[in-house]
Amino acid sequence: MAKPNTRQFDRIIETAGRKLQGVRNREMWALPAGDQAKVAGYVGVAFAKATRLKSSPMAERGIDRIWANAEAALTAEIAAAEKAKAGVLAEHAAAKVAKRAESKWW
């Protein structure tokens, strides 16, 4: 019986892991395009307020919220891919056991 093909899940886990590391390092490339635009908008608001010597807690909270949501989404994506991979491996193992139980060579 051939080994189960889990390359697709491995690739998803690896890609999401790299993106998660990028999000944790606050690198913009790791965010989806829509979130990159939102962060740029918040940075623009914060910059405009800073030039007028005012604070912008709303913009800072917005940016923090975007990073936190991105981290949560990537963590969930990794967990789901690992669960799916484990399911494929368990299914393969169950089929292997059933095949062995079916043949009565001993």
Side-chain angles (χ1 to χ4, degrees), residues 10-82:
D10 293 334
R11 188 171 44 251
I12 291 169
I13 292 167
E14 182 182 340
T15 302
R18 281 195 308 257
K19 284 185 179 182
L20 181 61
Q21 193 60 37
V23 166
R24 288 181 176 158
N25 292 335
R26 300 290 195 253
E27 297 172 359
M28 289 288 286
W29 65 266
L31 291 176
D35 288 345
Q36 288 179 6
K38 288 178 187 175
V39 168
Y42 281 130
V43 168
V45 168
F47 184 73
K49 293 261 186 169
T51 57
R52 290 185 234 131
L53 300 177
K54 294 182 180 179
S55 65
S56 57
M58 185 185 87
E60 292 170 9
R61 280 193 307 268
I63 292 171
D64 289 340
R65 187 174 55 245
I66 289 170
W67 288 113
N69 290 344
E71 186 172 350
L74 288 169
T75 302
E77 183 179 342
I78 291 171
E82 287 175 344

